[in-house]
Amino acid sequence: MKKGVYDFLKGKFLIHDDAMKNWRFILFCTFLAIIMIACSHQAERKVHKIAKMNKEVRELRSEFVDTKKRLMQMKMESSITKKLSGSGVTPSNVPPQKIIILR
């Protein structure tokens, strides 16, 4: 038992006659570890990109709501009347008439 542990710690399993299968297994495990690390980094990049895009979406949504609010205020009859009061244009006192076209 002790001899097996000492041989392992000294690395004799890498230089024996059947060491080629051990080297292949070690290279395979190394390759899998590299792939795992690469996938982890790629996933982390995607998480950061998603967080950045979510922040941008919130900012754009806030800007949209603010712009929509300003548009609604500009479309109000009172604001239009204030802007056009200097040019002499006033709201009509006569209600509009409905035009009916018969075929």
Side-chain angles (χ1 to χ4, degrees):
M1 178 72 176
K2 280 186 175 182
K3 187 174 191 230
V5 173
Y6 287 134
D7 286 344
F8 180 77
L9 291 175
K10 288 181 181 179
K12 289 196 177 189
F13 69 97
L14 297 175
I15 56 174
H16 279 195
D17 295 335
D18 61 345
M20 190 60 177
K21 66 178 180 178
N22 293 336
W23 278 106
R24 276 190 265 152
F25 183 72
I26 290 171
L27 290 175
F28 177 71
C29 288
T30 305
F31 177 71
L32 289 179
I34 290 172
I35 289 176
M36 186 178 76
I37 291 169
C39 288
S40 173
H41 284 291
Q42 187 177 17
E44 193 69 27
R45 264 183 289 182
K46 285 183 181 181
V47 166
H48 287 296
K49 187 175 179 181
I50 288 171
K52 181 180 174 185
M53 291 177 117
N54 281 336
K55 183 179 178 183
E56 186 178 344
V57 165
R58 278 182 292 197
E59 289 173 1
L60 289 173
R61 188 174 290 135
S62 173
E63 182 181 341
F64 168 74
V65 169
D66 185 47
T67 305
K68 189 174 178 181
K69 182 183 111 183
R70 282 191 279 129
L71 175 66
M72 291 300 286
Q73 288 174 349
M74 290 172 72
K75 286 171 53 176
M76 290 175 67
E77 184 180 355
S78 59
S79 65
I80 293 173
T81 304
K82 284 180 189 176
K83 287 183 180 181
L84 295 176
S85 64
S87 63
V89 178
T90 58
S92 175
N93 292 330
V94 180
Q97 295 180 356
K98 188 174 188 179
I99 298 174
I100 301 172
I101 300 174
L102 298 174
R103 289 188 185 192

